[in-house]
Amino acid sequence: MILGSVLNPINSSMIAVALVPIGVAFGAPPAETAWLVSALYLATAVGQPVIGRLVDMYGPRRLYLTGTALVGAAGLMGALAPSLGVLITARVLLGLGTSAAYPASMQLTRSEAERTGQDSPAGVLTALSVANQTVAVVGPALGGFLIGVGGWRAIFTVNVPLSAACLVLGTLWLPRTRATAHRGGVDLPGMALFAATLLSLMFFLMSPRLAHGWLPVLAAAAAAGFALRELRTAGPFIDLRVLGGNVPLLTTYLRQLLGYTTAYSFLYGFTQWLEEGRGLHASAAGLVLLPLSASALTVSALTGRREAVRGKLLVGGLVQITGCAGLLLLDSGSPVWLLLAVGVLMGIPQGLIGLANQNALYRQSAPARIASAAGLLRTFMYLGALGASAADAAFFAHGADTAGLHELALFMAAGSALLVLFTLPDRSLSTLTPTSPTPTSGKA
């Protein structure tokens, strides 16, 4: 479960130190290489809830194995890519392939908790969160090492052995389950309209200009069609009638969006600035980010077994604001110790916010739809990543210079402040209780 679920964050983060070398190899500016980030997140934002719903319906095993096999094929495609366009296609396939393991893991965790009567599988949830958070922040250092050893293509090649390991372990250990009967079958029209809404909106956010004004109109029309479809069909992809009444879960999704917009803005923006604005090699930039990984891991390990959702969100948001203030102190001549200190500071919220939102979702979602709910949580995480990629492209339009970094820091601080504002008055987070075992009532 852990190995499969980290395929997405490791591919999300390794690319951070490869954007500059890939741009040099194909003669592409940052505005074009940004699509290597956006392509994976667009595919994942759509793929996570879609595949999560299929996991709820057909069980985790077959979706896990199919997805991880696709990861291996996409990794090989990226390693042999002759052009930037083929490389972007490989990233799309990686996004789809890595969308299965996390919803499958959450569904397995929920079913095992119910089978054994263990109310709060905090150890398993913490292990999943720590692994994902750690890999996400170790990714740049690993990517820098792989680039130093075998060039930027190595960050795609590494997916082949990882995929093979997932296939072997999944075949041996994942339980076989029967498909669950659902009225209406697979809601393909609902899934298509959901995808059209996200894709048209995010394509506009990646290049917001007057000539693209038709994209938000298309997004609004697709969203309206999606709402009508889901309210009328017997077996909706996302049950809006139930989800709309679950305000705590909707607020958790919003906090996930805000938290990860800042986290990914820092990951990609700071890394590019280290290479262009500070003049570090890709491998050195990856090493500078290692303290971020260490602080995230330490905080997650120390706090993981206590849910304390509200406290973690508040501390995480406030530390993010402090880290953004630290970015305003940096320039092209900043000493390495100051770069490392900012990384340590920004690692703390990465060890708190994701784990807090995951624990909140586990309590707030219905057991029968835990995989699709978990997929939506990842969707909002990657919507934050897409927003971060758009922000990086906007603030670094002419290169990753110090002025752009400071503007990005102010943008990140605003998002972190909103996270705190949406958490501070929410007393329900302090009294989260287990959801009812009844699979079709109450929450979604």
Side-chain angles (χ1 to χ4, degrees), residues 45 47-57 102-104 106-107 110 194 237-239 242-243 246 249-250 252-253 256 357-358 360-381 435 443-444:
Q48 288 275 355
V50 169
I51 296 177
R53 182 62 180 144
L54 295 177
V55 169
D56 282 330
M57 297 175 69
Y102 180 72
M106 289 295 284
Q107 203 266 4
R110 167 67 78 175
F194 176 80
F237 163 48
I238 298 175
D239 195 341
V242 177
L243 183 62
N246 193 344
L249 183 57
L250 292 175
T252 292
Y253 289 144
Q256 183 86 335
N357 285 327
Q358 178 179 269
L361 175 129
Y362 186 84
R363 296 298 193 185
Q364 294 164 343
S365 60
R369 285 180 174 262
I370 184 68
S372 51
L376 274 175
L377 187 71
R378 280 287 182 95
T379 291
F380 279 89
M381 171 180 172
T435 54
K443 299 174 182 175

Side-chain angles (χ1 to χ4, degrees), residues 168-337:
V168 171
L169 294 173
T171 300
L172 291 175
W173 293 103
L174 291 184
R176 298 179 183 274
T177 55
R178 292 183 179 181
T180 304
H182 287 267
R183 292 181 299 165
V186 179
D187 181 19
L188 292 178
M191 292 178 178
L193 288 167
F194 176 80
T197 301
L198 282 184
L199 291 174
S200 53
L201 178 61
M202 296 317 302
F203 275 124
F204 176 75
L205 291 177
M206 285 302 302
S207 183
R209 60 185 66 174
L210 189 60
H212 297 163
W214 59 274
L215 285 170
V217 176
L218 177 60
F226 173 72
L228 288 174
R229 165 71 187 181
E230 300 307 277
L231 290 172
R232 293 179 178 179
T233 187
F237 163 48
I238 298 175
D239 195 341
L240 297 181
R241 289 162 293 195
V242 177
L243 183 62
N246 193 344
V247 176
L249 183 57
L250 292 175
T251 309
T252 292
Y253 289 144
L254 176 59
R255 283 189 283 256
Q256 183 86 335
L257 172 67
L258 293 171
Y260 278 97
T261 298
T262 295
Y264 279 105
S265 292
F266 176 80
L267 178 63
Y268 293 115
F270 185 59
T271 305
Q272 289 186 73
W273 176 82
L274 286 174
E275 295 182 48
E276 293 189 23
R278 185 61 175 73
L280 299 182
H281 186 269
S283 56
L287 290 174
V288 168
L289 290 177
L290 272 180
L292 182 146
S293 151
S295 63
L297 174 60
T298 301
V299 169
S300 293
L302 291 176
T303 65
R305 290 189 176 273
R306 293 186 60 191
E307 293 192 6
V309 171
R310 184 168 178 266
K312 289 178 181 178
L313 290 170
L314 286 175
V315 172
L318 292 172
V319 175
Q320 275 189 338
I321 294 173
T322 306
C324 293
L327 288 176
L328 296 174
L329 301 176
L330 301 181
D331 56 39
S332 59
S334 294
V336 173
W337 69 264

Side-chain angles (χ1 to χ4, degrees), residues 20 32 58 82 85 91 133 137 161 166 175-176 209 217 228 232 319 336 340 351 358 368 407 435-436 444:
V20 172
E32 292 183 15
Y58 299 108
R91 292 282 291 177
Q133 294 291 336
V137 291
C166 287
R176 298 179 183 274
R209 60 185 66 174
V217 176
L228 288 174
R232 293 179 178 179
V319 175
V336 173
L340 297 174
Q358 178 179 269
E407 292 173 352
T435 54
S436 167

Side-chain angles (χ1 to χ4, degrees), residues 26-109:
F26 292 116
E32 292 183 15
T33 57
W35 281 103
L36 292 167
V37 178
S38 303
L40 184 140
Y41 290 139
L42 283 167
T44 306
V46 174
Q48 288 275 355
V50 169
I51 296 177
R53 182 62 180 144
L54 295 177
V55 169
D56 282 330
M57 297 175 69
Y58 299 108
R61 179 187 172 91
R62 67 185 71 180
L63 274 304
Y64 177 99
L65 295 176
T66 301
T68 51
L70 182 58
V71 169
L76 188 60
M77 181 181 182
L80 301 175
S83 66
L84 183 62
V86 174
L87 204 60
I88 291 172
T89 302
R91 292 282 291 177
V92 170
L93 296 178
L94 279 173
L96 293 174
T98 58
S99 291
Y102 180 72
S105 297
M106 289 295 284
Q107 203 266 4
L108 283 167
T109 301

Side-chain angles (χ1 to χ4, degrees), residues 138-152:
V138 168
L142 175 61
F145 170 76
L146 291 173
I147 291 171
V149 172
W152 62 263

